[in-house]
Amino acid sequence: EQKAQQVAQAQAKAKAEAEQKQKAETERVARANADKQKQAQAEQAKKTADAERQKQAAEAERQRQISAAAEQKQQQERALQQQNQATETNLVSQYAAIIQQLIERNWVIPPNARNGMLAVVEIRMTPVGDIISHKVIRSSGDVVFDRSVEQAIDRVESFPELRDLPIAVFERNFRVFTLNFAPEDLLR
């Protein structure tokens, strides 16, 4: 009986050890699986983070390219605008000189005109160069001098050269045009 008890104890002990080993192995496998799962999750998280960083970097590069393209377009537009402004300024100068010359050719400067006199005249015109109206907006202080300027404009009647101007340039610069008349460098 004692031997049977010892055998039973040995069997119970062996069974307990086997169960303990089985439990330890199950826990080890579970830990290993958990570690593998954590490692897989960490790798997946790293891949996801890397992909997100690449996506953000690509988006940042795309935004930079869009911004650079927009800046380049703005620079081109500014350059074109400056070029157009320079062209318009040149046109305005040329046509203003033509108008001034045509009127001055028809201007009979009165004998009482003196250096330092100045009359400023406003001329209203149509796009084809016809004079609608004119008036002295700043008198020289001499009625005869002022009237001589208005008579010169009346003699001209129109400026057909204005027909060649783009309508927008005409509207901005010549619809209402101001001229200064001064009998400078007269020997009187």
Side-chain angles (χ1 to χ4, degrees):
E1 213 175 286
Q2 206 175 17
K3 201 167 183 157
Q5 236 180 358
Q6 283 178 344
V7 169
Q9 281 178 347
Q11 284 176 345
K13 185 177 177 184
K15 184 178 176 184
E17 284 176 4
E19 284 176 359
Q20 198 171 15
K21 274 185 182 180
Q22 181 65 31
K23 184 178 175 184
E25 180 63 18
T26 301
E27 286 175 1
R28 186 192 66 76
V29 168
R31 274 194 310 273
N33 285 341
D35 287 347
K36 283 181 184 178
Q37 189 175 8
K38 282 181 186 177
Q39 187 176 5
Q41 286 173 344
E43 286 176 13
Q44 184 60 39
K46 184 178 183 284
K47 285 179 185 178
T48 301
D50 287 347
E52 183 61 29
R53 273 193 299 278
Q54 288 176 349
K55 182 179 171 185
Q56 287 175 353
E59 179 62 20
E61 176 61 18
R62 188 179 76 79
Q63 289 297 329
R64 187 197 64 75
Q65 288 175 352
I66 289 171
S67 178
E71 177 62 29
Q72 182 179 15
K73 183 177 179 183
Q74 285 177 345
Q75 287 176 351
Q76 288 171 342
E77 287 172 356
R78 281 192 297 269
L80 181 60
Q81 190 175 29
Q82 288 172 349
Q83 182 181 4
N84 289 343
Q85 183 64 41
T87 301
E88 182 172 328
T89 300
N90 189 28
L91 275 174
V92 170
S93 296
Q94 289 173 0
Y95 282 85
I98 290 169
I99 291 169
Q100 183 90 30
Q101 288 170 359
L102 286 171
I103 294 173
E104 286 180 356
R105 278 189 214 143
N106 288 282
W107 187 24
V108 178
I109 300 173
N112 65 332
R114 297 286 174 257
N115 283 339
M117 295 177 96
L118 174 69
V120 180
V121 179
E122 177 183 272
I123 304 171
R124 294 183 180 273
M125 296 180 270
T126 65
V128 293
D130 294 335
I131 297 172
I132 299 170
S133 67
H134 58 80
K135 66 180 177 181
V136 175
I137 58 173
R138 181 172 162 210
S139 174
S140 66
D142 184 315
V143 175
V144 174
F145 181 84
D146 293 349
R147 185 67 197 133
S148 73
V149 170
E150 290 185 291
Q151 287 170 345
I153 295 169
D154 288 337
R155 284 184 201 106
V156 173
E157 295 180 3
S158 73
F159 305 99
E161 296 82 359
L162 292 178
R163 292 181 182 137
D164 300 333
L165 270 177
I167 191 69
V169 174
F170 172 82
E171 291 295 338
R172 280 191 295 273
N173 300 285
F174 293 101
R175 171 69 67 185
V176 176
F177 186 70
T178 304
L179 273 178
N180 297 334
F181 289 86
E184 296 304 309
D185 301 323
L186 293 176
L187 300 173
R188 296 193 182 155

